[in-house]
Amino acid sequence: MVGTNWPGVDPEWSRTIEVRSTSAVDAPGTNRHWHLLDNGAQLARRGLVSKGTLLCVHGNPTWSYLWRTLLAAGSDAAHPWRVIAVDQLDMGYSERTGTFRRLTDRINDLGDLTDELGLEGPVVTVGHDWGGVISLGWALAHQDQLAGVVLTNTAVHQPSNSEIPPALRLALHPAVHGWGTTTSDAFLRVTHSLAKPTLSPDVRKAYMAPYRGARRRAGVGNFVADIPVDASHPSYAALGGVAEGLRGLKVPALMLWGPRDPIFSDRYLKDLIGRLPHAKVHRFEGAGHLVAEDRDIATPVFQWLADGNAGDGDPPNTETTINDDGKQRDASELAGFRPLWDLLTEQSSGSAGGDTAVAEMAPDGTVSRSLSWQQLERNVLDLAAGLRETGVESGSRVSLMVPPGVDLTVALYACLRLGAVVVVADAGLGTRGLSRAVKGATPDFIIGIDKALAAASVLGWPGRRISVRDLPPARRRALRVETSLAALARQGSGRGSETTTHVSDPALPAAVLFTSGSTGPAKGVVYTHQQLSAMRDTVAETFGIRPGARLVAGFAPFALLGPALGAVSVTPAMDVTAPRTLTARALADAAAAIDATVVFASPAALRNVLATRDGLNGAGQKALARVELLLSAGAPVPEPLLAEAQRLLPRASLHTPYGMTEALPVTDIGLEQIQAADADRTAGTVRGAGNGVCVGTPVHGARIAVVPLKEDGTAPSSRLVTEAGVTGEIVVNAAHVKEAYDRLWLTQEASADIPSWHRTGDVGHFDAAGRLWVEGRLAHVVTAPGGVVTPVGAEQAIERLDGVRMAAIAGVGPAGTQAVVAVVETVPPARKAGPAAPELAGRVREAARKAGVDVSAVLVVPTQPTDIRHNAKIDRARLSRWATRVLAGGRPGKP
């Protein structure tokens, strides 16, 4: 045993073992001394029977200390696993051999060690950095013992057409290598600095301890020197053997990844997923190279093991489809499937074939471009043929960075027909959010306008680049653009009939759509072809939208869904990434252009339309008067706003569907039903009416329920309730609910822990009439001393006050004893943020009290921090942090 004054390590785990080496770099009969952290003896002493062994292999320049949380978790009686964390030879506290050990030698060394230990299955390997490659090499050589593999930030393949990461290039440079990795401790310090948050001094000291002195750092330098930069490197073949061997490895796999890694970026994760497509994957947003330090990896590893992922490793049954939730679907569930483009094709071949299908509006109110149904179908097929010839195939990820309109519609349906997975992350996420989303999705191709392709170059987005239009040669080279949609359409012209126009498996992924990012980093939501088609059918049945309908889409998803509904679609002249830029004139011009029957506009867009209605002329008023249906979603729509909209669109039935990116839509309610619900709230004649926004009843084919909240503001049970007056997390079951969160296995597990139901993260309750009332987000529930406080009911009461535009309820202080703070945006806006004037504070407190909430403090802000996409969802978590600072006497600044 060596010194064990290491934070988080039980001294009982530390041991050394002498191992007979069979490595070619050692003389026959050579014994090597290894240091391990091993909880096996501890389990036996406690009388605990191990369920198997986790064989953990560190990378460079860490050591077995990296895996201390796994050792602690595996020592728990709730899930006893033997955890063996090795110090590789020349590393940590193992022997300094004085030899240069290459990848093949290290894989062989690990086999020598496990032979000496008499290790038997089931074994799950766990690896990081180069330890990931070595652990996989051992796994491939010991498949009779292998039960699963766990990988954290590692790589098994370096593409021949790309350079190794800059940090490794620098470490390998002759002028830097010896000094940076061995003579000095620079390589260690730089690696440790990658931890987010920063390592504590005692943990950093523990990581440095085995490497004091240049002699003890020789292995660090040798590890770096063994990185195969090209095919001439001695370890290139060994690395290639591991990489290719993974394609046949059928055991369960888990990948836990830190995307903020300057060494192993998401492109290496994408490569691993391609080799182990059945793996569960979770990207910890904000974590980096030392993901085991940045985040709790022990909980997901043991959750994964407890879910039965260390079994016999049989390959999936090929007669069924298994999605990321582990659900199986048989052929009967896919019967009657009609692909998303089914009605588009029908319209093109029918009597409406020559009529307009999709149009774009110019700022001057005229139609700038349009396609008939026949032209749209032909353009889709021509582009699909061209895309196929350039390499887009089934499963390819294609990021579409094109504004709603003709080009986006054609590109979307062309990709879907090829079986490609479209990635839709709009500019409304902001530069940072959009970049994070695109890098996380790792598209194979990016189709974009100039601005998007320039961003791709500056921000390093992955994917081969295709421009929308033909570019001048110099611009094309500068943006590294290979071709254009126009060129591909010309290339595929006349060969569209050769293109795949059916879906071989409707359960295959079709799209990754990103959430708004209003409650944390935007999440990619995976939809299958079947689920997208179910969304189309739900919208059609719920709102009565039939082929021939004419749709003005002020929200990108509905612009894309229009052709699938057989509806003529037009996008008004506006910045679709900023809904509040839609004016009444632009809406009327678009409606007049197609004689619109349906309008979709977000609440923020509606507000601006009403604010600019004085700019309407007689023709515009007549065009809007012919609209039969208005849909507005994305955030709660106040009844007064809808009532004003009704006067602008007098013939329209006004509906505000409730839903989210993961399930759009979930419920529906019309203006008359909203008014009836408000009357019931005021009269108190219907039990449960009130405290929130009434969002109505389930849409066609959907079921909803709530999981009751506990006093701590959580909803951990799986008990589903539909009785009136019980507040809980809203859950939904429907054919159009998302398949999974993209590369967010833990998030998906939490959202789908009730079989066949999706946890929405919203809280609400039913009233006695069966209507759902939304009370806010689960993450925004305040746990005050008197009980749980949900925000929306009090916010609505405050927003009814004169001089208040938007209100938010936030909690300040420790959970269970939080003070309730009201933050209001006034009309006119406050000059600066801070405590509210006494008169306003008094009115706000009284309004909240009548809604059943005691407000401790009232603050004002010039503008509420809202999401970019909807301009309506308030970031209450951000307000809570800001209010905490203000009430503690800090400078208010900007929330």
Side-chain angles (χ1 to χ4, degrees), residues 144-523:
D144 56 329
Q145 299 167 250
L146 190 67
V149 297
V150 177
L151 296 171
T152 64
N153 290 58
T154 188
V156 297
H157 176 65
Q158 177 63 38
S160 58
N161 60 351
S162 65
E163 294 184 319
I164 64 172
L168 293 182
R169 284 206 307 274
L170 178 63
L172 282 165
H173 193 281
V176 174
H177 177 254
W179 174 85
T181 63
T182 307
T183 305
S184 76
D185 60 8
F187 189 76
L188 283 93
R189 293 187 179 279
V190 169
T191 302
H192 300 159
S193 72
L194 298 176
K196 307 291 180 185
T198 302
L199 296 177
S200 64
D202 55 349
V203 169
R204 185 186 291 267
K205 181 179 178 182
Y207 271 119
M208 296 290 288
Y211 299 109
R212 295 193 182 100
R215 186 186 66 80
R216 295 195 60 79
R217 292 191 290 266
V220 174
N222 291 346
F223 248 121
V224 173
D226 198 37
I227 298 171
V229 294
D230 54 42
S232 65
H233 192 279
S235 289
Y236 184 85
L239 181 62
V242 172
E244 291 309 306
L246 291 187
R247 298 190 189 278
L249 197 62
K250 299 301 183 184
V251 297
L254 174 66
M255 301 179 195
L256 303 175
W257 206 264
R260 290 182 61 182
D261 187 342
I263 304 166
F264 298 125
S265 62
D266 279 313
R267 74 176 184 181
Y268 294 105
L269 174 62
K270 181 183 179 74
D271 175 74
L272 285 166
I273 293 172
R275 297 171 193 277
L276 295 169
H278 61 282
K280 309 293 186 186
V281 179
H282 190 86
R283 297 171 69 255
F284 291 97
E285 199 61 62
H289 180 67
L290 294 175
V291 64
E293 292 293 340
D294 296 354
R295 296 294 186 271
D296 168 21
I297 69 164
T299 297
V301 166
F302 283 92
Q303 178 180 334
W304 176 75
L305 293 170
D307 287 347
N309 288 300
D312 57 14
D314 288 339
N317 185 332
T318 57
E319 296 180 358
T320 60
T321 299
I322 302 179
N323 68 11
D324 286 340
D325 294 333
K327 297 180 291 190
Q328 294 187 343
R329 295 193 175 102
D330 57 34
S332 64
E333 292 182 85
L334 306 179
F337 168 76
R338 294 183 305 129
L340 195 66
W341 57 85
D342 194 48
L343 287 177
L344 187 162
T345 301
E346 282 188 16
Q347 292 285 82
S348 70
S349 60
S351 58
D355 297 341
T356 298
V358 58
E360 297 176 8
M361 299 301 296
D364 64 0
T366 61
V367 175
S368 58
R369 294 176 68 195
S370 68
L371 293 177
S372 70
W373 288 105
Q374 291 172 346
Q375 291 170 327
L376 177 58
E377 173 79 353
R378 184 166 60 250
N379 286 10
V380 165
L381 292 177
D382 287 348
L383 179 58
L387 287 170
R388 184 187 58 203
E389 290 188 13
T390 205
V392 178
E393 59 188 6
S394 179
S396 296
R397 289 194 168 198
V398 183
S399 178
L400 299 178
M401 300 208 167
V402 186
V406 171
D407 292 322
L408 180 58
T409 302
V410 172
L412 173 82
Y413 286 93
C415 289
L416 291 177
R417 283 195 159 177
L418 289 171
V421 180
V422 295
V423 177
V424 182
D426 63 67
L429 295 175
T431 302
R432 287 182 61 188
L434 180 60
S435 187
R436 187 165 48 218
V438 175
K439 288 182 177 180
T442 55
D444 301 288
F445 296 85
I446 293 178
I447 298 176
I449 58 175
D450 259 29
K451 185 177 180 181
L453 296 174
S457 295
V458 172
L459 299 172
W461 294 344
R464 296 166 58 188
R465 298 172 193 171
I466 300 171
S467 63
V468 172
R469 306 232 177 257
D470 294 330
L471 298 177
R475 181 68 171 163
R476 181 173 164 175
R477 287 192 298 272
L479 297 178
R480 296 194 357 238
V481 168
E482 295 184 21
T483 183
S484 68
L485 292 185
L488 291 173
R490 293 191 296 268
Q491 183 179 328
S493 179
R495 294 203 301 280
S497 59
E498 304 168 12
T499 305
T500 299
T501 58
H502 69 281
V503 177
S504 59
D505 185 353
L508 288 175
V512 178
L513 312 178
F514 277 84
T515 61
S516 66
S518 59
T519 55
K523 299 182 287 291

